[in-house]
Amino acid sequence: MARTFVIDRKHFRPPSISLRFGHVWRRNFLVWRKLAIPSVIGNLADPLLFMLGLGYGLGALMPAVNGIPYINFLAAGTICYSTMNSASFEAMYSAFSRMHVQRTWEAILNAPLTLDDVLIAEAVWAASKSFLSGMAILAVIGALGLSDSALALWIIPLTVVIGLCFASLGLVMTALAPSYEFFMYYMTLVMTPMMLLSGAFFPRAQMPPLVQDISLFLPLTHAVELARPLLAGRIPAASLTHLLVLGVYALAAFYVALILTRRRLLK
């Protein structure tokens, strides 16, 4: 019992932060660079078709939402949704492959690196890929003339925060997953309801009051509440609160992922 207590206490120690995680990030980047073009097209095509199809197709049948055309309303939701998806998939499917199937993490740990370095690198790498997805959608929005406000440039750092938040949540699932099929629970029970309830594609004001209250606990809601006013050329209300929620989600989820991964791998 005493031995088990000591091992568990070690798992709960604070993260050990060092710049060595950059070597793992660079390794992931060099591998990804070989397949960069199909990867970018794959990440961009789905949300872009979603935005254009719903925005111009369904939007033509709908009245303005809060005084703006539906495709403009949808644009901010698409950036946040695309960033969430990209970070989550990289932190789950790709990270699980490196951890469990390819045993890349095990090989990396033979170098003077710690598991903390590896997990920080995975979170930053997933956020980096989601940043590219968000920027690709933002570039298309600019090209279509859906936003011409300089405030929209604040979405660039915002996508980094959103990416870190959902990358950390995805790493929690990776630490728990026995197989790839496990991720379907998270996607079906968490990501899909969050997409529908966060106001990314439909106004939250039209939802029942109880659902609106529940949606306030979802990180994607706070991401959308920041991105939509910025695209419209307005400073978001309660912006510090929204950023704080995203930051707390990112830090808390990363710490939980670190504890669970230590318990799984450092036996």
Side-chain angles (χ1 to χ4, degrees):
M1 291 295 293
R3 177 178 173 77
T4 301
F5 173 76
V6 171
I7 291 175
D8 286 345
R9 192 173 64 178
K10 287 182 178 178
H11 295 156
F12 283 87
R13 68 183 184 276
S16 175
I17 308 295
S18 81
L19 294 179
R20 289 174 298 185
F21 80 88
H23 299 291
V24 184
W25 184 95
R26 183 171 179 271
R27 179 262 167 206
N28 291 343
F29 170 74
L30 292 176
V31 173
W32 170 82
R33 193 174 61 175
K34 299 177 181 177
L35 301 170
I37 293 177
S39 176
V40 170
I41 292 175
N43 287 334
L44 179 61
D46 181 55
L48 185 59
L49 292 174
F50 207 65
M51 183 182 75
L52 296 179
L54 280 178
Y56 286 117
L58 184 61
L61 306 175
M62 295 180 62
V65 181
N66 298 330
I68 59 174
Y70 182 65
I71 189 168
N72 294 63
F73 176 87
L74 191 62
T78 306
I79 291 177
C80 298
Y81 162 75
S82 176
T83 305
M84 175 186 76
N85 260 4
S86 180
S88 300
F89 274 73
E90 184 65 26
M92 292 192 299
Y93 287 94
S94 300
F96 184 78
S97 295
R98 290 188 283 269
M99 177 188 72
H100 184 70
V101 181
Q102 302 169 353
R103 295 185 177 277
T104 306
W105 292 11
E106 189 176 313
I108 291 173
L109 290 176
N110 287 313
L113 292 161
T114 66
L115 186 58
D116 295 26
D117 296 326
V118 175
L119 216 62
I120 292 172
E122 290 291 345
V124 176
W125 171 243
S128 302
K129 285 195 70 177
S130 67
F131 174 78
L132 292 178
S133 296
M135 290 306 95
I137 300 296
L138 184 62
V140 172
I141 290 171
L144 294 175
L146 299 179
S147 176
D148 57 1
S149 170
L151 286 175
L153 296 177
W154 282 103
I155 291 178
I156 297 173
L158 176 61
T159 54
V160 177
V161 178
I162 298 171
L164 287 172
C165 174
F166 287 103
S168 299
L169 290 169
L171 287 174
V172 173
M173 296 299 106
T174 298
L176 295 171
S179 66
Y180 289 110
E181 286 73 19
F182 180 82
F183 297 129
M184 289 302 297
Y185 294 115
Y186 180 66
M187 293 169 61
T188 304
L189 301 177
V190 178
M191 289 180 63
T192 300
M194 183 154 42
M195 178 187 71
L196 296 174
L197 301 179
S198 64
F201 302 121
F202 313 104
R204 288 179 54 245
Q206 295 182 359
M207 300 175 186
L210 177 60
V211 177
Q212 292 185 42
D213 293 339
I214 293 173
S215 72
L216 289 176
F217 292 94
L218 305 175
L220 189 61
T221 298
H222 298 275
V224 173
E225 291 293 327
L226 287 168
R228 183 160 291 139
L230 290 173
L231 273 185
R234 293 182 281 107
I235 297 175
S239 54
L240 289 179
T241 301
H242 297 310
L243 284 172
L244 182 63
V245 171
L246 290 172
V248 168
Y249 262 105
L251 293 175
F254 179 79
Y255 185 49
V256 171
L258 191 58
I259 294 170
L260 294 174
T261 307
R262 285 168 175 168
R263 294 185 66 179
R264 177 169 181 158
L265 299 182
L266 300 182
K267 295 179 180 178

